[in-house]
Amino acid sequence: MATMYDGSRATGANLITGSGLLLALLISHRETTTQVVTLYDNTAASGTIIAAINVAPEATPFFLRLHRNEAWAFTTGLSADYPNCELNVWAVKTS
């Protein structure tokens, strides 16, 4: 089962509950300073950090696609903190 989450200028979002694989993400923003998007293996934007991605204004939109063999695994859930950003996530649930 594939899941796509489209978040717009939110923070502390629970994207997926349960285990899965993060396959790709797209981050964009209109800020003049670097923004940080933090992904967590949790059902809240706290706990185990999967990745913290700095996105500079000149690097937006930022797209990252991971090969299935290199996908970022999560067990509890996938949550994100992405203030002042728009975030799209492609993931597959494994439970």
Side-chain angles (χ1 to χ4, degrees):
M1 168 187 215
T3 301
M4 181 182 150
Y5 177 80
D6 175 21
S8 185
R9 297 195 183 272
T11 187
N14 179 25
L15 309 178
I16 297 173
T17 299
S19 62
L21 299 169
L22 178 63
L23 302 173
L25 54 88
L26 174 66
I27 305 167
S28 61
H29 66 81
R30 296 184 184 109
E31 303 300 314
T32 58
T33 59
T34 297
Q35 300 297 301
V36 180
V37 173
T38 308
L39 302 169
Y40 298 91
D41 184 353
N42 202 350
T43 55
S46 62
T48 303
I49 295 174
I50 297 172
I53 302 165
N54 296 313
V55 182
E58 63 274 9
T60 187
F62 174 81
F63 180 70
L64 176 64
R65 180 178 171 267
L66 301 162
H67 187 275
R68 187 170 181 91
N69 294 336
E70 298 172 347
W72 296 342
F74 52 91
T75 55
T76 304
L78 179 63
S79 295
D81 185 25
Y82 50 103
N84 302 315
C85 292
E86 295 174 5
L87 174 66
N88 290 291
V89 170
W90 290 265
V92 177
K93 283 190 76 168
T94 57
S95 68

